[in-house]
């Protein structure tokens, strides 16, 4: 009788598991439910070892996935550069996702007076200034100034159209570069990353217009 009650309790837990949205809770409840079925299967007139084996397999698989999930949710310690980017340009990304994004970028340096982007250039990359300033020129007239934390060439990156102005280093400049192909591959694996990065680009554009 007690084993039957335990079996019904296990099924209630299974139903509850599929009602929760958080994957960690789902897996934890599923593990508890599977454990609750083991006494029922074992205490039958003929122990149902096959059913017990499947439940143990489910317990092991869910325990492994729950462990991986919890490890991914651990808070990470950001270095000074990461912390600055997370508080400014990339604040729409969670720290772990931001670090993954930064690892895909390459760092470049140019000297004062060097051209970062030329007008009518086919730009298949997204740039982000880390240090230094750059001026935006069109028809030999300065249109804007770019500062650390600003994206560069984001309009061309989004529209896939040639750039509309020159961008020239006003002082020694360090910047990050993400190739469009690399980001597209990232978006396939993590669609949320695309939404977060587009939000960051949108906020960057709004800040530039407000200057």
């Amino acid at each position: 009788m007690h084993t039957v009650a335990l079996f019904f309790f296990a099924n209630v837990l299974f139903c509850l598991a599929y009602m929760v949205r958080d994957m960690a809770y789902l897996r934890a409840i599923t593990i508890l439910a599977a454990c609750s079925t083991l006494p029922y299967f074992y205490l039958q007139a003929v122990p149902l070892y096959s059913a017990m084996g499947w439940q143990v397999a489910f317990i092991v698989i869910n325990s492994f996935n729950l462990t991986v999930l919890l490890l991914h949710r651990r808070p990470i310690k950001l270095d000074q550069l990461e912390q600055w980017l997370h508080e400014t340009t990339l604040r729409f990304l969670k720290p772990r996702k931001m670090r993954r994004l930064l690892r895909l970028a390459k760092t470049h340096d140019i000297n004062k007076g060097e051209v970062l982007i030329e007008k009518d250039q086919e730009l298949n990359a997204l740039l982000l200034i880390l240090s230094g300033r750059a001026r935006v020129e069109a028809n030999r007239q300065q249109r804007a100034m770019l500062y650390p934390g600003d994206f560069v060439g984001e309009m061309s990156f989004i529209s896939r159209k040639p750039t509309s102005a020159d961008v020239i280093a006003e002082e020694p400049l360090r910047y990050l570069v993400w190739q469009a192909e690399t980001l597209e591959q990232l978006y396939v694996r993590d669609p949320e990353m695309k939404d977060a990065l587009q939000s960051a680009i949108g906020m960057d554009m709004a800040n530039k217009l407000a200057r």
Side-chain angles (χ1 to χ4, degrees):
M1 183 66 180
H2 293 298
T3 57
V4 173
L6 197 58
F7 183 72
F8 278 108
F9 173 70
N11 282 290
V12 170
L13 288 178
F14 279 124
C15 292
L16 178 62
Y18 292 109
M19 293 174 63
V20 299
R21 295 184 178 182
D22 187 278
M23 186 59 68
Y25 283 116
L26 186 152
R27 294 198 179 279
I29 296 172
T30 300
I31 292 169
L32 179 60
C35 289
S36 300
T37 64
L38 295 179
Y40 173 80
F41 291 133
Y42 180 72
L43 295 175
Q44 297 300 304
V46 177
L48 303 177
Y49 292 116
S50 178
M52 292 176 64
W54 281 110
Q55 293 301 317
V56 170
F58 293 146
I59 291 169
V60 171
I61 292 171
N62 279 289
S63 296
F64 173 78
N65 287 323
L66 178 60
T67 301
V68 172
L69 184 60
L70 293 177
L71 288 175
H72 284 172
R73 291 186 178 183
R74 288 183 307 168
I76 62 174
K77 185 176 181 180
L78 302 177
D79 61 29
Q80 187 175 359
L81 174 61
E82 291 172 334
Q83 187 65 40
W84 170 67
L85 286 171
H86 189 249
E87 292 174 354
T88 55
T89 312
L90 302 179
R91 58 184 175 275
F92 292 99
L93 280 77
K94 295 179 180 178
R96 197 175 298 277
K97 288 181 179 289
M98 184 193 69
R99 177 170 287 178
R100 187 188 313 166
L101 178 67
L102 293 176
R103 286 175 177 171
L104 296 175
K106 293 185 178 180
T107 304
H108 295 267
D109 294 278
I110 59 174
N111 296 317
K112 178 180 178 180
E114 291 189 51
V115 177
L116 181 60
I117 292 177
E118 294 182 346
K119 183 180 179 181
D120 296 324
Q121 177 181 344
E122 295 288 344
L123 187 64
N124 295 315
L126 179 65
L127 286 63
L128 174 65
I129 297 176
L130 295 180
S131 63
R133 297 176 300 154
R135 66 180 184 273
V136 181
E137 289 188 357
N139 300 321
R140 297 187 178 182
Q141 293 185 351
Q142 181 174 317
R143 301 297 185 183
M145 187 70 72
L146 301 178
Y147 301 92
D150 286 346
F151 285 110
V152 185
E154 68 279 2
M155 288 296 295
S156 180
F157 173 77
I158 294 173
S159 66
R160 294 294 191 267
K161 294 181 179 179
T163 55
S164 59
D166 297 316
V167 180
I168 304 169
E170 188 74 7
E171 55 194 45
L173 199 73
R174 171 165 290 188
Y175 60 98
L176 296 176
V177 178
W178 288 276
Q179 295 299 324
E181 182 179 356
T182 300
L183 290 178
E184 289 298 333
Q185 293 173 355
L186 176 63
Y187 295 159
V188 172
R189 299 193 302 270
D190 189 350
E192 290 183 0
M193 186 77 80
K194 181 177 183 179
D195 294 335
L197 187 55
Q198 287 182 339
S199 296
I201 293 173
M203 182 61 69
D204 176 75
M205 293 169 62
N207 290 337
K208 289 172 181 173
L209 291 174
R211 289 174 185 166

